[in-house]
Amino acid sequence: MGRRFLWFRGRPGKLFVGHRAEPLLAAILADIRRFQSLEDRLDLLHDLGPPLRDTVDQHNRALDHLRAIVRAGRRTGTLPRLKDAVLEVEGDDISAEWFALVVTVVTGARGPLPLGFMLDLVRELRDLPREFGERAVSLYVAERRADGRPVDTGPLPYVLQRLYDARVDGDNPTARRTDLLRFLVLLHEEAVEWGEGDRIGRLLARLPARDTAVREIAAHPATAWTAAAGRQVVIQIRVQEEEPYGPVDDDVRYTRRHYRLRGFYYVGADGAPYEFGGSTDPTELFTGAELECRGKEFLLAWKEPAEVGRGAHRRYEFLLPDSLLGYPAERWPSGSAGVPLSLNCLVVVRSLMRYDDISIHDRWTDRWSALDQDCTPGDALARIGWISPGADSVDNSRYKEWSCPNGKYPPLRLGSRADLEAWLRRHADLACLGLGAPYDPLDELMLGAVRDALFYDGIPVMVWRRDGGDPGLLLEALRDGRPPALLAELPHSVLETRQQRRHDDESVGHNITLLWDDPTLVFPNQFSPMTGMRAAGEGAA
């Protein structure tokens, strides 16, 4: 008798709260369109069989009938069977996941947070738009991967269920609670962004004194982002050239070529490997004449990396074929407001062909190692080596006196591609190439020189003016904004220059191409960790 009394004494609280959960469970089921039909509700009961089927009074009003089903399920101990049946028939509906979460909380073993707290949390979260929580889930999954403890991803209620119902770690019995609280902090941060911070903040403030740190974060949401200060998000957009009718000549303009777009993004932190975050399926094939329109549509539709990148250091990388290396991708908008990417974050281009061809990565890595090796901070722009076509190497009808700024390396005026080979051999520490003339697929000499510098000599960084203006003015603009003390700072200097005179389409900042090809962010398997960006001069990890 005493045993019975002791067992029951530990259960009334859970039984009472479980009774309070019945209206919530019924309301969740009522959100599933199928269960508005009496016929479908009766089919569900038939599949469940006795004793649940035999103890439910029939109601024509959906919510009343669903309350009776939930009440009978709780009293007969068949809520888990009901949960499994709902997931089987409506597993793609997020309401089915919410139902599974609440049933797990009510019927499962004691969880890391109080049952009443979890029910109130579900009520608050279900009042928010269905897309709420997507960013928190992405961030948390990336954090766990980087920590070597991957967790299954899915909709918000699914992740909450996995964390609430996780196994207890014998070596770290508090891990379940810590993990769930960390995820709730990310949800609170996202709620603050939505203007709904009070919803979760009030709940976090109810936690016991041992969770003071979480309560302080809830009370001061701005401090929550300090933990994210070292987060890095790399967003790659690959423009893949595919010709349905066979190869085309080099002099065919990009507007007459065919492309697909595909996106990948990666999340990392200072000193930690980058992890694959997500990707898109390839778009349908389109012509280069549609590239700007298709690109804008692509960015507006692909919101996930932008959400994950809030509060982090973002870098957009456009991996481009040879025909597009000079394309002004940084002018694509970052959102529906139409603000160009170049005004909000770092934007660089990369050589898609070199990225994909691992057989030529060794020279590339060697040149990257030399980027700032043994260099004291100073005028890094003086360590750009400049090349331009010479008067005898181009059609005189198109020739102009291209400027070639002086610096550490004597400028090279190309007469042939062999000139570049000899020049780069003499300057083994040269890692950044400046083009005194714009890269143009119609100029065979410059096109060949850039290809050789990429594929044979491994030059990782190049910069030029697309408008053909004086490159000396480009250097002046970079020095006037945020002059780089090291070449590793060049992307930030270019960002600052692009932000200057933002409404003047003719400004130097609107006509810069920065090819920034970091070989430490290259790996053959897109679903494996990246080594992460290394400091200049350190080379590949």
Side-chain angles (χ1 to χ4, degrees), residues 210-280:
R210 57 179 165 156
D211 297 315
T212 301
V214 176
R215 290 165 56 193
E216 289 179 353
I217 290 175
H220 305 285
T223 65
W225 285 110
T226 58
R231 285 195 306 112
Q232 310 274 347
V233 176
V234 173
I235 302 162
Q236 287 188 349
I237 298 173
R238 305 181 193 184
V239 187
Q240 300 166 325
E241 184 173 337
E242 298 181 24
E243 296 304 332
Y245 310 111
V248 297
D249 295 334
D250 288 341
D251 60 354
V252 174
R253 296 286 295 174
Y254 82 89
T255 53
R256 296 170 53 195
R257 297 171 183 256
H258 294 82
Y259 305 95
R260 296 185 195 274
L261 293 173
R262 190 171 188 192
F264 295 79
Y265 76 92
Y266 310 91
V267 181
D270 290 340
Y274 275 63
E275 293 285 338
F276 170 77
S279 64
T280 68

Side-chain angles (χ1 to χ4, degrees), residues 26-346:
I28 294 173
L29 289 179
D31 284 343
I32 300 176
R33 180 175 299 179
R34 173 192 293 266
F35 298 137
Q36 292 297 315
S37 163
L38 175 61
E39 182 180 356
D40 285 328
R41 296 195 300 273
L42 293 176
D43 285 344
L44 176 67
L45 286 171
H46 180 270
D47 292 340
L48 288 168
L52 185 58
R53 180 184 61 194
D54 301 332
T55 57
V56 176
D57 294 330
Q58 182 173 316
H59 297 268
N60 290 326
R61 186 169 177 262
L63 186 58
D64 292 339
H65 198 190
L66 292 170
R67 283 177 177 170
I69 293 173
V70 168
R71 187 178 305 114
R74 191 178 67 83
R75 289 176 176 173
T76 59
T78 55
L79 275 180
R81 284 173 53 194
L82 177 59
K83 174 195 72 175
D84 293 342
V86 170
L87 286 173
E88 183 176 355
V89 298
E90 289 293 335
D92 293 334
D93 192 318
I94 194 171
S95 292
E97 297 289 357
W98 285 119
F99 187 79
L101 169 62
V102 176
V103 170
T104 299
V105 169
V106 171
T107 65
R110 183 176 180 180
L113 292 177
L115 189 153
F117 175 93
M118 292 299 298
L119 295 182
D120 289 340
L121 176 67
V122 171
R123 290 188 182 94
E124 294 291 350
L125 294 178
R126 286 186 65 246
D127 278 345
L128 294 170
R130 290 200 171 200
E131 58 269 24
F132 175 79
E134 291 177 357
R135 181 177 62 83
V137 167
S138 296
L139 286 175
Y140 184 73
V141 169
E143 284 184 5
R144 288 284 296 264
R145 285 176 178 166
D147 195 34
R149 301 183 304 123
V151 63
D152 291 343
T153 188
L156 173 58
Y158 175 81
V159 174
L160 282 170
Q161 181 188 4
R162 298 286 293 181
L163 295 176
Y164 181 87
D165 201 34
R167 294 181 179 179
V168 176
D169 185 348
D171 296 330
N172 186 7
T174 63
R176 283 199 312 162
R177 185 180 184 86
T178 302
D179 289 342
L180 183 52
L181 289 175
R182 171 57 186 158
F183 183 59
L184 293 183
V185 168
L186 293 176
L187 281 177
H188 179 251
E189 293 172 1
E190 186 170 352
V192 170
E193 292 290 315
W194 285 62
E196 298 283 358
D198 288 346
R199 287 181 179 272
I200 302 176
R202 285 194 301 266
L203 290 174
L204 291 176
R206 286 168 38 187
L207 292 174
R210 57 179 165 156
D211 297 315
T212 301
V214 176
R215 290 165 56 193
E216 289 179 353
I217 290 175
H220 305 285
T223 65
W225 285 110
T226 58
R231 285 195 306 112
Q232 310 274 347
V233 176
V234 173
I235 302 162
Q236 287 188 349
I237 298 173
R238 305 181 193 184
V239 187
Q240 300 166 325
E241 184 173 337
E242 298 181 24
E243 296 304 332
Y245 310 111
V248 297
D249 295 334
D250 288 341
D251 60 354
V252 174
R253 296 286 295 174
Y254 82 89
T255 53
R256 296 170 53 195
R257 297 171 183 256
H258 294 82
Y259 305 95
R260 296 185 195 274
L261 293 173
R262 190 171 188 192
F264 295 79
Y265 76 92
Y266 310 91
V267 181
D270 290 340
Y274 275 63
E275 293 285 338
F276 170 77
S279 64
T280 68
D281 293 329
T283 64
E284 63 182 8
L285 204 63
F286 58 86
T287 66
E290 305 172 85
L291 181 58
E292 181 176 3
C293 177
R294 294 297 188 98
K296 291 178 179 179
E297 292 174 351
F298 181 84
L299 285 180
L300 288 174
W302 191 36
K303 297 178 181 179
E304 186 178 8
E307 290 293 328
V308 172
R310 290 188 184 183
H313 302 287
R314 284 182 297 158
R315 186 168 83 196
Y316 279 82
E317 297 185 343
F318 286 85
L319 276 69
L320 305 176
D322 293 349
S323 57
L324 289 174
L325 281 182
Y327 182 78
E330 78 279 356
R331 295 194 184 186
W332 287 2
S334 56
S336 58
V339 178
L341 288 169
S342 58
L343 300 184
N344 286 317
C345 56
L346 307 180

Side-chain angles (χ1 to χ4, degrees), residues 507-526:
S507 72
V508 172
H510 282 296
N511 290 283
I512 301 175
T513 289
L514 175 63
L515 184 143
W516 185 264
D517 239 347
D518 181 349
T520 69
L521 288 180
V522 174
F523 61 112
N525 182 350
Q526 299 304 330

Side-chain angles (χ1 to χ4, degrees), residues 411-477:
L412 171 66
R413 296 193 178 274
L414 289 168
S416 68
R417 291 166 68 172
D419 293 341
L420 178 69
E421 177 186 355
W423 185 68
L424 288 177
R425 189 183 302 114
R426 290 196 302 271
H427 305 297
D429 62 339
L430 191 154
C432 180
L433 194 64
L435 306 186
Y439 172 89
D440 187 343
L442 296 179
D443 187 327
E444 293 185 6
L445 182 61
M446 290 301 290
L447 174 63
V450 169
R451 284 177 172 173
D452 285 356
L454 289 171
F455 305 140
Y456 289 92
D457 300 292
I459 297 296
V461 180
M462 298 187 195
V463 62
W464 67 89
R465 288 184 64 168
R466 286 188 299 266
D467 60 356
D470 187 348
L473 298 180
L474 167 58
L475 294 179
E476 290 181 12

